[in-house]
Each structure stands twice: as C-alpha cells, then as structure tokens.
Amino acid sequence: MTTEIKVKVQLVRSPIGTKESHRATVRGLGLRGVNSTSELQDTPAVRGMINKISYLVKVI
C-alpha cells in the first residue's frame, strides 16, 4: 500500500496585475478565485510552482 503525500494550497491574494506566467501557474495548480483550495500530490514540480507564486498562496 503506497501512501501518497498531499499538499493543500490556498490562494490568498488575487493574481490580477501579476505576470501572465504567474497567473498560468495559479491555474495550473487548480486554483480559481481567492480563498479557493486545491489538494495536490507533493512532487518537485508542484513544489516549484508553489515557490514561484509563494506571495499569492498559503500552504495549509
């Protein structure tokens, strides 16, 4: 039985006025509006996306 490690991310600031690549990263993480949350697998790719937009999100 494999245990998948998950990370839960919440969008706390609006991506309006940010770079287009940062908005695309927000959408890639499955976040829509402010206060929306998404539960993702904890992979290096997801960690990199979270680090890129760390000023917009909060890890719960």
Side-chain angles (χ1 to χ4, degrees), residues 19 21 27 29 36 39 41 44 47-48 56 60:
K19 292 182 178 182
S21 63
R27 299 302 260 158
L29 287 173
S36 66
E39 193 167 337
Q41 288 184 346
R47 285 286 175 168
L56 295 175
I60 302 174

Side-chain angles (χ1 to χ4, degrees), residues 2-9 38-43 46-47 50 59-60:
T2 60
T3 305
E4 295 180 356
I5 300 173
K6 300 276 188 172
V7 61
K8 195 169 184 182
V9 182
S38 182
E39 193 167 337
L40 307 156
Q41 288 184 346
D42 191 11
T43 64
V46 170
R47 285 286 175 168
I50 292 170
V59 177
I60 302 174

Side-chain angles (χ1 to χ4, degrees), residues 2-27:
T2 60
T3 305
E4 295 180 356
I5 300 173
K6 300 276 188 172
V7 61
K8 195 169 184 182
V9 182
Q10 180 179 18
L11 187 64
V12 293
R13 289 188 58 194
S14 173
I16 295 173
T18 62
K19 292 182 178 182
E20 182 60 40
S21 63
H22 290 202
R23 284 182 289 212
T25 303
V26 169
R27 299 302 260 158

